Amino acid sequence: MSSDQVTEIARTPRVPDRPTLDGIEAKWSEAWEREGCYRFDARAPREQVFAIDTPPPTVSGSLHVGHVFSYTHTDAVARYQRMRGKAVFYPMGWDDNGLPTERRVQNHFGVRCDPSVAYDPGFQPPAEPSEKEPVSISRPNFVELCLRLTETDERAFEELWRRLGLSVDWSLTYTTIGAHAQRVSQRSFLGLLARGEAYQLEAPTLWDVDFQTAVAQAELEDRERPGAMNRVRFRTEDGADALIETTRPELIPACVALLAHPDDQRQRALVGKDVLTPLFGTRVPVLTHPLVDPEKGTGLVMVCTFGDLTDVVWWRELSLPVRSVLGADGRLAEVPWGAAGWESEDVERARREYEQLAGRTVNQARKRILELLAEAGEIVGEPTQITRAVKFFEKGERPVEIVTSRQWFLRTMAHTDKLIERGRQLHWHPPYMRARYEDWVGGLTGDWCVSRQRFFGVPFPLWYPVDQQGIVRYEQPIPAEQSQLPVDPSTDLPAGYTEAQRGQPGGFVGDPDVMDTWATSSLTPQIAAGLAAEAAPAGEGEELFARVFPMALRPQAHDIIRTWLFSTVLRAQLDHDQLPWSNAAISGWVLDPDRKKMSKSKGNVVTPMHLLEEYGADAVRYWAASGRPGTDTAFDAQQMKVGRRLAVKLLNASKFALADLPREGDALGSPLDRAMIARLARAVAEATESFEDYDYARALERVEVFFWWYCDYYLELVKGRRYDSGQTQAGRDGAASVSRALRRSLSVFQRLLAPFLPFVAEEVWSWWQDGSVHRARWPDARELREALGEVGEAPAAGEAAVEDEALAVAADVLKEVRKAKSEARRPMRAPVARLLVRDTPQRLAALQLGLGDLRAAGSIDLVETAEADELAVEVELAPEDA
RNA sequence: GGGCGCGUAGCUCAGUGGGAGAGCGCUCGCUUCACACGCGAGAGGUCGCAGGUUCGAAACCCGCCGCGCCCACCA
């Protein structure tokens, strides 16, 4: 593509009589698809590739205004980079794996997954789904339904993205549950296993009792819940009181120790002794630990297995025994009072009391044990009502518990120093977002638990041998072969076994779990780059992968820095020993006008499609693009109207500039034209600089401000010359200059606005240019400045300054003239009989260069000047009848 | 409790050492030959509070107040 495109009209402009935005979205999105406008050029060398790790939206929800907001930011950057000549790798993924989809499928079809049920190839979901009495189906059947439902969602999402004008290469589409993503995810896991970065452990794990699955630290959130603080009496053997305070009395049977701070004098007499638990008479030691806060409660704290994460710390560091009462279903389990570990001073009583609790949920058991404690006189004083922060699984409805189970972990704690270093190598936009990453990495307390006891996810590619006694030998996992991937160990077979051996002594079992959804999402750069690599000719895939990965950009919202961003950095570190991308652009949220995060319910009222229909894609994009990187932005339909105005303005300014252009005498000779082009060059430089820093909002603001000034002042000032009748050589020269300036500036404006308003920019570009504006070259400030030198010598700095001042003074005076007409309540075309301009000698001298244009623009007959310290004008309007 | 960000016109925000600004909203005016999906003009602010640095502070430093987000050992 030649840079001359900036100046040359490719063909006679075809400008509609009445330009309109109607219909341009359908017209151009179809054309872009037909022409392959956004297709990634797989032959581009690595230094020309700009690869984007697009966030795959969760398809089981609905896209809301917040998605439109942040995806528009990325698209503006993608379009800029494409115009800069980059081969933009811009894929789209759908995150359809995981719990949200499971829940949705359960409700939609009225089914429940039961892994013990056999696969039914002819299964059809019930005609009238019942949430109350779901049909139990096999895991493969369940997964089929998940796929069926997500496919519909994905079509709707793609439709919306196309309507919004995202310049995605739709041939690069993946799903996180698809075979390709599963293969990448399982291959990575097997590599980690081989290198000892993945391990399994029977250990206390965060557990959601409703979903009955392990969850990760990153998936927790705090919620304020009312609670009651009870003062409960433990006793030493010689009958002395040891008082503790607790909000979780139901865990007293699981108590394994009482703790005090080592320096707490008040507890000195107790430390080192044993005490008996109330009701159950279990003997537990009183120990010390520096984490105990002597100011809290009585200064004595009960350690249970397990009430919270601190209990786990104490249990581990003090080598305490396990005495676990809570089952995976969130109810208190039966326990063998009197057996090893469950000794009691009064076994019969312990059994009797515990019978009142077994089988109850946590809340029921808490209520009951408080009654029992009160009856036994072991509660001291009245309970205090408090509000406390309780940890919940972010998608859960009851607090998480800590349950001991066998889980798979990825090593993270061994790599935190390296991960912080990687975070410092990453370019953050805005830079302060790095702090959130460092806080998170620095605050990690354990390795990443990646196994989930769920169904719709990527299975672990593992089986375990079953020995002759029928015991599963978890410590000897049988990994899948690379060539088998992806595998589902519940239906596929490990090498050397037959299906008949499944679950039999001497046979095998498949790993029943699936991976955490983030365990797959954390590989999106590798999944996306792998898509291109798989499509490459044989033998070239690896080389192509290396041209795409690591990528240039990860765009995402700030709330998932601790999950998605962190885990992606971790996986790239573990698998590739490098960063997955060089830049992270963090977007904010969309807030309600009342400054709260826009809620799902409201998001459903104001659907993105509804907005696009009402205001148009360019208008919605304009609002989105005005939200600065990392900053939360209020939802504002008013701004969309402003965006629509800008789009209409571009239509009309283009019409004006292109109508009846003279084809000869292309001299850029007039001072105001030259000054405008020089100012335009500065605007281009600012927009470019902003985009290079990923600040699309600043780029838009600079372009927009200058474009409105151009329309309001420059276009008005040059209208007279633009319509010159051509009777004199000076008139013809002036018209030719304006014509040339309009063509140059219009071409630049159309391209500067293209990343933000792709539809209208393409529309006006098509009136006079061949090819898509989105494949045109991003305007270049230097090139524009050089254009000023095309007639004779490039202007000297001093000359350029005078020309710029001429434009400034002419615009200032024009404003004063307009003011006078406005105050006189006369139309703007009302003739001015006489104009007196007072100003500094320098500015008056500069004004001479633009006097002709000013007179035409203001319909001014006579202009006089007088020297003064600052601008002041006297306007004498011609009589109204004249 | 710790960290980060924010506090400028009624609203949304730009401005980071030397004139307090934009858009929207509001008021008034104008059928002007690109545009009534328009154009022009106007009103409106102790730049959160208090100190300090400086010839000069909305901006830099210290403290405080308020709002938001993230994190925390939540007994």
Side-chain angles (χ1 to χ4, degrees):
Chain A
M1 179 168 305
S2 152
S3 62
D4 286 338
Q5 184 171 9
V6 177
T7 59
E8 296 309 315
I9 302 180
R11 52 181 159 69
T12 307
R14 284 190 296 266
V15 182
D17 288 340
R18 292 195 60 83
T20 175
L21 299 177
D22 295 343
I24 65 172
E25 291 170 18
K27 173 174 149 191
W28 290 116
S29 52
E30 208 173 286
W32 294 331
E33 177 63 27
R34 195 174 54 241
E35 307 291 331
C37 193
Y38 308 126
R39 193 63 52 84
F40 171 63
D41 177 6
R43 295 156 307 172
R46 174 159 176 87
E47 61 271 18
Q48 268 178 31
V49 172
F50 187 89
I52 300 170
D53 186 17
T54 317
T58 306
V59 290
S60 53
S62 49
L63 290 178
H64 50 83
V65 182
H67 288 104
V68 167
F69 181 67
S70 54
Y71 281 74
T72 297
H73 300 164
T74 307
D75 187 62
V77 171
R79 287 179 182 279
Y80 165 74
Q81 294 288 350
R82 195 178 291 111
M83 292 175 78
R84 292 281 285 187
K86 290 291 175 65
V88 175
F89 182 85
Y90 191 5
M92 184 57 66
W94 307 121
D95 190 11
D96 42 15
N97 139 9
L99 264 177
T101 300
E102 275 191 30
R103 276 206 290 200
R104 185 132 177 279
V105 166
Q106 285 169 2
N107 298 337
H108 186 86
F109 293 111
V111 295
R112 189 168 58 89
C113 183
D114 181 347
S116 66
V117 172
Y119 178 61
D120 173 3
F123 173 77
Q124 287 301 322
E128 287 178 26
S130 159
E131 277 186 46
K132 283 250 162 74
E133 293 174 34
V135 180
S136 289
I137 61 173
S138 72
R139 175 153 122 182
N141 285 119
F142 188 82
V143 169
E144 279 174 12
L145 291 182
C146 290
L147 292 172
R148 192 203 288 191
L149 195 61
T150 54
E151 203 179 307
T152 318
D153 290 339
E154 283 154 20
R155 270 201 297 276
F157 278 33
E158 179 174 335
E159 174 60 29
L160 181 72
W161 283 154
R162 285 181 184 273
R163 183 72 181 267
L164 182 63
L166 295 191
S167 60
V168 160
D169 180 349
W170 289 102
S171 70
L172 299 170
T173 305
Y174 64 87
T175 65
T176 57
I177 197 63
H180 171 70
Q182 293 214 23
R183 187 156 45 241
V184 172
S185 185
Q186 291 185 335
R187 190 190 301 137
S188 170
F189 177 82
L190 291 175
L192 295 172
L193 180 65
R195 299 199 304 278
E197 300 287 3
Y199 64 93
Q200 56 184 330
L201 191 64
E202 175 100 15
T205 314
L206 293 161
W207 187 266
D208 184 278
V209 298
D210 289 313
F211 292 110
Q212 296 204 30
T213 179
V215 297
Q217 188 183 351
E219 295 172 295
L220 298 185
E221 65 185 27
D222 285 350
R223 295 183 201 165
E224 294 290 328
R225 285 289 179 275
M229 184 71 77
N230 296 281
R231 188 162 285 211
V232 179
R233 189 191 335 266
F234 286 53
R235 284 179 210 271
T236 61
E237 282 167 298
D238 44 18
D241 282 359
L243 300 181
I244 59 119
E245 285 196 351
T246 181
T247 56
R248 301 207 59 181
E250 74 279 11
L251 291 178
I252 288 174
C255 178
V256 291
L258 300 189
L259 297 183
H261 191 273
D263 302 333
D264 189 347
Q265 299 301 317
R266 295 171 303 162
Q267 312 298 342
R268 241 182 150 162
L270 284 169
V271 171
K273 295 192 172 158
D274 284 349
V275 295
L276 297 175
T277 61
L279 304 180
F280 308 101
T282 308
R283 182 185 300 268
V284 299
V286 181
L287 306 169
T288 64
H289 193 280
L291 274 185
V292 178
D293 182 352
E295 303 300 318
K296 277 191 183 164
T298 61
L300 206 54
V301 58
M302 160 176 91
V303 184
C304 305
T305 53
F306 296 92
D308 60 33
L309 288 171
T310 320
D311 280 346
V312 179
V313 172
W314 284 326
W315 167 79
R316 191 188 301 127
E317 295 189 4
L318 297 171
S319 303
L320 298 168
V322 175
R323 191 173 291 131
S324 175
V325 295
L326 198 64
D329 57 357
R331 292 171 183 273
L332 271 69
E334 297 292 342
V335 300
W337 288 104
W342 295 93
E343 295 86 355
S344 167
E345 295 298 298
D346 184 346
V347 172
E348 283 314 308
R349 184 183 177 205
R351 278 192 190 131
R352 202 168 60 240
E353 303 280 11
Y354 193 77
E355 244 172 49
Q356 309 285 314
L357 307 175
R360 293 182 187 245
T361 64
V362 166
N363 279 333
Q364 294 163 348
R366 184 176 305 158
K367 196 172 164 211
R368 185 67 188 126
I369 198 170
L370 285 172
E371 291 166 0
L372 296 174
L373 286 166
E375 284 166 21
E378 307 290 23
I379 299 230
V380 178
E382 290 296 311
T384 323
Q385 297 303 319
I386 56 165
T387 302
R388 62 202 187 108
V390 183
K391 291 220 179 293
F392 281 70
F393 173 42
E394 59 195 359
K395 297 183 176 69
E397 279 154 22
R398 284 193 277 172
V400 290
E401 296 293 350
I402 293 165
V403 169
T404 299
S405 54
R406 185 191 62 84
Q407 304 291 345
W408 279 98
F409 294 83
L410 300 190
R411 290 194 198 284
T412 51
M413 298 309 288
H415 306 290
T416 50
D417 288 350
K418 191 73 191 175
L419 292 172
I420 286 186
E421 187 187 326
R422 290 290 183 220
R424 290 185 180 156
Q425 290 163 355
L426 185 60
H427 295 101
W428 297 77
H429 311 278
Y432 60 75
M433 286 294 178
R434 171 183 296 131
R436 301 211 181 179
Y437 172 85
E438 289 197 6
D439 283 357
W440 176 254
V441 177
L444 284 171
T445 56
D447 286 338
W448 177 12
C449 175
V450 290
S451 43
R452 297 290 180 273
Q453 289 64 56
R454 303 304 304 172
F455 321 108
F456 190 55
V458 178
F460 286 84
L462 300 172
W463 299 265
Y464 306 98
V466 178
D467 69 14
Q468 297 304 330
Q469 284 71 48
I471 310 274
V472 179
R473 307 306 297 261
Y474 288 111
E475 74 283 5
Q476 298 168 16
I478 308 166
E481 306 285 337
Q482 291 285 336
S483 58
Q484 278 182 288
L485 302 181
V487 299
D488 181 345
S490 75
T491 51
D492 296 323
L493 297 175
Y497 288 90
T498 64
E499 184 60 35
Q501 291 174 281
R502 187 182 294 276
Q504 300 301 314
F508 70 95
V509 292
D511 189 297
D513 294 346
V514 296
M515 294 185 207
D516 175 7
T517 177
W518 295 112
T520 301
S521 301
S522 55
L523 294 167
T524 49
Q526 294 91 327
I527 291 168
L531 269 186
E534 284 194 0
E540 293 174 26
E542 203 171 311
E543 192 269 332
L544 178 54
F545 184 91
R547 277 186 278 137
V548 173
F549 180 92
M551 297 188 165
L553 176 64
R554 154 62 68 86
Q556 64 161 83
H558 55 62
D559 55 332
I560 52 175
I561 288 175
R562 66 174 179 162
T563 48
W564 193 37
L565 192 145
F566 163 74
S567 62
T568 312
V569 172
L570 171 69
R571 298 302 289 275
Q573 177 60 36
L574 292 177
D575 284 358
H576 303 274
D577 193 21
Q578 58 187 338
L579 274 174
W581 355 261
S582 42
N583 292 276
I586 309 297
S587 63
W589 280 334
V590 176
L591 305 176
D592 282 339
D594 64 4
R595 311 302 299 165
K596 292 281 190 315
K597 185 183 176 185
M598 201 148 199
S599 59
K600 289 260 164 69
S601 56
K602 288 203 177 155
N604 289 338
V605 175
V606 186
T607 66
M609 198 52 102
H610 167 206
L611 287 177
L612 293 175
E613 281 162 3
E614 181 164 1
Y615 301 101
D618 284 339
V620 173
R621 290 174 60 104
Y622 170 88
W623 159 75
S626 62
R628 301 189 101 79
T631 306
D632 294 346
T633 300
F635 176 80
D636 188 357
Q638 241 353 294
Q639 276 298 102
M640 297 179 196
K641 290 183 185 165
V642 175
R644 193 173 172 84
R645 256 176 20 120
L646 179 62
V648 170
K649 199 74 176 174
L650 183 60
L651 282 179
N652 288 311
S654 297
K655 179 187 171 193
F656 170 73
L658 292 175
D660 306 319
L661 283 176
R663 299 300 307 267
E664 297 168 42
D666 273 356
L668 199 53
S670 294
L672 296 199
D673 298 337
R674 296 160 61 83
M676 181 277 290
I677 294 289
R679 287 188 178 197
L680 180 59
R682 288 200 288 278
V684 167
E686 284 183 323
T688 306
E689 198 179 309
S690 301
F691 258 128
E692 286 297 312
D693 197 30
Y694 294 85
D695 195 344
Y696 49 82
R698 188 183 172 88
L700 171 58
E701 190 226 315
R702 293 304 143 123
V703 170
E704 188 197 6
V705 163
F706 187 66
F707 180 62
W708 280 108
W709 176 90
Y710 168 89
C711 290
D712 293 344
Y713 288 95
Y714 176 74
L715 291 186
E716 294 300 328
L717 279 168
V718 300
K719 253 181 197 170
R721 271 192 292 133
R722 170 80 175 72
Y723 290 117
D724 185 88
S725 55
Q727 284 167 350
T728 66
Q729 184 59 42
R732 286 194 293 276
D733 287 350
S737 175
V738 107
S739 197
R740 177 123 208 216
L742 287 175
R743 237 180 297 161
R744 275 204 176 265
S745 54
L746 184 68
S747 163
V748 169
F749 279 123
Q750 290 177 352
R751 284 175 291 153
L752 288 175
L753 288 168
F756 308 104
L757 314 175
F759 293 102
V760 72
E762 188 76 311
E763 173 68 15
V764 293
W765 188 258
S766 75
W767 293 348
W768 64 312
Q769 302 283 350
D770 290 325
S772 170
V773 70
H774 302 296
R775 288 241 163 232
R777 261 186 46 180
W778 181 253
D780 182 68
R782 201 188 58 213
E783 198 176 286
L784 273 172
R785 289 197 196 96
E786 282 167 5
L788 295 173
E790 282 172 10
V791 258
E793 295 293 307
E799 192 183 334
V802 172
E803 287 176 352
D804 189 73
E805 190 147 49
L807 187 54
V809 179
D812 288 348
V813 175
L814 180 60
K815 185 176 173 72
E816 292 299 319
V817 171
R818 285 170 173 168
K819 184 174 170 179
K821 290 179 180 178
S822 193
E823 280 171 354
R825 307 198 162 188
R826 300 282 301 277
M828 287 301 134
R829 64 178 159 74
V832 175
R834 174 179 158 273
L835 175 72
L836 173 63
V837 181
R838 297 176 194 277
D839 211 334
T840 64
Q842 186 186 334
R843 280 169 57 92
L844 289 176
L847 179 60
Q848 293 305 314
L849 294 175
L851 205 52
D853 286 340
L854 175 63
R855 288 175 55 164
S859 312
I860 301 161
D861 196 22
L862 176 67
V863 177
E864 294 170 356
T865 60
E867 291 187 8
D869 290 342
E870 57 180 14
L871 177 69
V873 300
E874 287 173 24
V875 181
E876 196 178 299
L877 293 175
E880 212 155 339
D881 297 332

